């Protein structure tokens, strides 16, 4: 039985699925099959034509021939605009999709506009230092690659491109449990000393989780990002609509799209006591990812989290969940002592170096980005990843100089204020 269910088999029966398969699975996955599981050879030339695929491939070819040089990318939004044109419909629908009305996704993007700087002037800012560490691992910039599934939908090399780009820039990459490439492939792409963190969804079969943890430990991963905001997957309608049903009998309950079965192994009854279980089987530091309230920050610290990762999963899970930037602000106002008890990270809606600086000033140790790296990889591959990091580095440096901070330690809460009136005026003008 295919792990995605019978519908996937029936939908593609008698058709050439090489391109679809390769965009989701590592080239090494077929080596896992036993010889007796190969039931025969297929003559691809005899398969029926997939006219829709041919037309889409022609569209993508034309778009890629017209793509500007990567040096023309001025900001992260530019990658997204190019991605709309050059990605397959499947890739675009999956990467851009968010839950239901996509309110949380939009709010993530808008949340940083609610926070304005209080810059300090007359400071010598010719030399600035953007280096920091994440759980003791040095990083050249206070940003990291958030774990995001299926980078192979955008580029055949998938996560490997992102690993190479992140390694050359000296930043940390979080690896998704649902990566297109195997963790062995990704680990092999590292440069000397490069750090990777693994995103863990605890499996209903705990022995499988234990096996994966032993594997990443053996491969030298530096930490675990335990993801806790996805007992089930949110309803991602763009992704669902991209895979319309072929009959009334298909997909009871409406589970369709690339993401339809990503949660098939998730432990739906995950509880705080499971943190102790996890800490009992690994010595790797534990980051609890998907915290969305101040109360749960306190519980995460109480249960032994080494770091707390504020995130609403890019707006892909619960629609109308709060933006991480707003939770960070609330944490600073209500429980500032938490910043001394655990490292705090955020992601969600980060598109500018100034967004990063605002979060750092409020106490975040580092800031993650997910979709921008998927778009950068999907448009230009490794070159795109490197250019995206360069853009962020340039913008962080400029913003630090303009707010009067020569090092990350000089970014303090007094440099940021919340201004909802200014945000409303800005929103109405747009």
């Amino acid at each position: 039985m295919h792990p995605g269910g019978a519908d996937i088999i029936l939908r593609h029966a008698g058709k050439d699925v090489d391109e679809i398969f390769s965009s989701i699975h590592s080239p090494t996955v077929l080596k896992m099959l036993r010889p007796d599981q190969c039931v025969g050879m297929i003559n691809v030339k005899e398969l029926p034509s997939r006219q829709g695929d041919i037309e889409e491939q022609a569209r993508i070819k034309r778009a890629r021939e017209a793509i500007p040089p990567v040096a023309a990318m001025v900001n992260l939004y530019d990658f997204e605009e190019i991605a709309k044109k050059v990605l397959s419909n499947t890739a675009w629908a999956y990467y851009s999709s968010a839950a239901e009305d996509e309110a949380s996704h939009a709010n993530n993007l808008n949340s940083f506009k609610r926070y304005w700087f209080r810059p300090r002037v007359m400071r010598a800012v010719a030399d600035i230092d953007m280096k920091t560490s994440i759980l003791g691992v040095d990083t050249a910039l206070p940003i990291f690659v958030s774990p995001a599934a299926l980078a192979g939908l955008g580029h055949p090399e998938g996560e490997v491109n992102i690993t190479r780009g992140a390694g050359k820039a000296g930043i940390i990459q979080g690896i998704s449990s649902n990566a297109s490439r195997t963790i062995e492939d990704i680990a092999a792409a590292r440069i000397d000393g490069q750090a990777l963190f693994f995103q863990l969804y605890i499996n209903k079969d705990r022995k499988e989780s234990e096996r994966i943890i032993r594997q990443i430990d053996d491969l030298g991963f530096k930490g675990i990002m335990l993801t806790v905001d996805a007992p089930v997957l949110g309803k991602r309608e763009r992704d669902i609509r991209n895979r319309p049903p072929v009959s009334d009998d298909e997909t009871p309950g409406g589970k369709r799209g690339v993401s339809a079965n990503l949660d098939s192994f998730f432990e739906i009854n995950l509880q705080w006591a499971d943190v102790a279980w996890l800490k009992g089987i690994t010595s790797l530091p534990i980051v609890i990812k998907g915290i969305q309230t101040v109360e749960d920050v306190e519980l995460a610290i109480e249960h032994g989290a080494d770091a707390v990762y504020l995130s609403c999963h890019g707006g892909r899970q619960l629609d109308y969940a709060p933006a991480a930037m707003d939770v960070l602000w609330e944490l600073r106002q209500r429980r500032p002592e938490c910043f001394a008890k655990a490292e705090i990270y955020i992601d969600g809606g980060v598109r500018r170096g100034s967004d990063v600086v605002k979060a750092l000033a409020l106490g975040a140790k580092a800031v993650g980005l997910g979709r921008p790296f998927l778009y950068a990889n999907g448009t230009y591959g490794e070159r795109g990843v490197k250019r995206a990091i360069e853009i962020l580095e340039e913008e962080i440096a400029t913003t630090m100089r303009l707010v009067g901070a020569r090092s990350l330690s000089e970014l303090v809460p007094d440099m940021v204020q919340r201004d909802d009136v200014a945000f409303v005026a800005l929103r109405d003008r747009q």
Side-chain angles (χ1 to χ4, degrees):
M1 175 64 72
H2 190 281
D7 288 344
I8 292 177
I9 302 298
L10 296 173
R11 178 186 297 276
H12 299 292
K15 301 174 183 177
D16 179 8
V17 296
D18 184 65
E19 184 173 350
I20 298 170
F21 182 90
S22 299
S23 69
I24 297 175
H25 302 286
S26 166
T28 60
V29 73
L30 292 178
K31 296 179 181 178
M32 299 167 59
L33 299 178
R34 302 187 309 271
D36 63 290
Q37 291 176 312
C38 179
V39 297
M41 302 298 293
I42 296 174
N43 186 343
V44 176
K45 294 181 180 179
E46 295 179 358
L47 295 177
S49 170
R50 298 174 66 118
Q51 187 60 38
D53 290 349
I54 293 172
E55 292 171 356
E56 182 174 57
Q57 289 166 9
R59 171 189 66 79
I60 292 171
K61 183 174 183 293
R62 291 192 299 271
R64 289 205 174 270
E65 288 172 348
I67 197 170
V70 69
M73 301 297 100
V74 175
N75 59 44
L76 297 187
Y77 294 104
D78 291 344
F79 290 105
E80 185 170 351
E81 288 302 311
I82 299 294
K84 288 180 186 178
K85 301 172 183 176
V86 304
L87 291 182
S88 68
N89 292 332
T90 297
W92 175 253
Y94 177 70
Y95 288 168
S96 65
S97 65
E100 299 182 0
D101 297 327
E102 303 190 348
S104 279
H105 177 42
N107 188 47
N108 280 348
L109 294 166
N110 282 326
S111 64
F112 290 92
K113 298 180 176 67
R114 289 191 275 274
Y115 300 91
W116 293 63
F117 289 114
R118 299 181 67 250
R120 302 301 304 274
V121 299
M122 300 292 285
R123 296 183 174 184
V125 291
D127 298 317
I128 60 170
D129 183 3
M130 293 180 282
K131 296 189 294 295
T132 188
S133 64
I134 296 176
L135 290 176
V137 178
D138 291 336
T139 176
L141 297 168
I143 60 172
F144 60 91
V145 180
S146 299
L150 302 180
L153 287 173
H155 192 285
E157 290 292 298
E159 291 78 11
V160 167
N161 277 337
I162 302 176
T163 302
R164 291 170 179 153
K168 291 172 182 175
I171 69 169
I172 292 169
Q173 179 187 9
I175 305 301
S176 170
S177 287
N178 292 301
S180 299
R181 302 296 295 267
T182 67
I183 55 177
E184 294 92 343
D185 293 338
I186 296 166
R190 289 174 296 186
I191 63 173
D192 289 343
Q194 181 177 351
L196 300 175
F197 281 58
F198 185 76
Q199 176 202 32
L200 178 71
Y201 293 98
I202 290 183
N203 199 304
K204 288 179 285 191
D205 179 355
R206 295 301 173 96
K207 292 190 180 300
E208 179 61 18
S209 288
E210 291 178 19
R211 182 195 67 78
I212 292 171
I213 290 166
R214 287 194 301 270
Q215 186 179 20
I216 63 171
D217 209 349
D218 291 343
L219 289 169
F221 279 63
K222 298 301 183 183
I224 293 173
M225 293 177 170
L226 173 62
T227 300
V228 298
D229 61 351
V232 296
L233 287 189
K235 185 183 179 187
R236 306 171 186 182
E237 295 185 2
R238 290 198 209 193
D239 185 33
I240 293 170
R241 292 183 189 282
N242 189 59
R243 295 280 182 90
V246 295
S247 75
D248 288 341
D249 297 327
E250 187 180 335
T251 56
K255 286 194 77 173
R256 298 194 307 276
V258 172
S259 61
N261 295 285
L262 294 180
D263 63 346
S264 60
F265 64 91
F266 293 1
E267 173 58 87
I268 195 170
N269 291 318
L270 195 66
Q271 300 177 67
W272 286 108
D274 292 315
V275 178
W277 170 82
L278 181 58
K279 291 176 74 70
I281 62 173
T282 181
S283 60
L284 290 173
I286 307 298
V287 181
I288 299 186
K289 178 182 183 292
I291 299 298
Q292 298 162 79
T293 63
V294 170
E295 292 83 357
D296 279 348
V297 171
E298 293 181 291
L299 282 171
I301 294 171
E302 178 185 326
H303 285 84
D306 297 290
V308 178
Y309 189 156
L310 307 179
S311 174
C312 67
H313 220 104
R316 292 173 175 269
Q317 285 297 100
L318 174 66
D319 204 12
Y320 296 93
M325 184 62 178
D326 290 333
V327 180
L328 180 70
W329 170 262
E330 184 183 358
L331 184 66
R332 171 55 65 186
Q333 305 310 306
R334 292 178 52 197
R335 296 290 186 272
E337 67 275 12
C338 287
F339 292 93
K341 297 178 180 179
E343 293 185 0
I344 307 293
Y345 318 134
I346 78 164
D347 72 8
V350 180
R351 295 296 184 273
R352 290 284 187 182
S354 58
D355 298 340
V356 174
V357 172
K358 290 174 186 178
L360 296 174
L362 289 176
K365 189 69 184 293
V367 177
L369 297 93
R371 283 186 182 91
F373 286 119
L374 291 176
Y375 294 141
N377 175 61
T379 49
Y380 295 95
E382 181 186 340
R383 292 180 303 137
V385 175
K386 290 168 61 179
R387 178 60 188 144
I389 297 170
E390 289 170 358
I391 289 170
L392 286 165
E393 182 176 11
E394 294 161 2
E395 292 183 351
I396 293 169
T398 297
T399 305
M400 286 180 63
R401 288 187 169 104
L402 292 176
V403 300
R406 291 156 292 197
S407 66
L408 301 185
S409 64
E410 291 186 353
L411 291 170
V412 295
D414 284 348
M415 287 180 167
V416 174
Q417 62 185 344
R418 178 164 176 145
D419 193 333
D420 291 312
V421 174
F423 166 70
V424 170
L426 180 64
R427 182 194 61 192
D428 291 347
R429 188 191 70 180
Q430 294 174 334

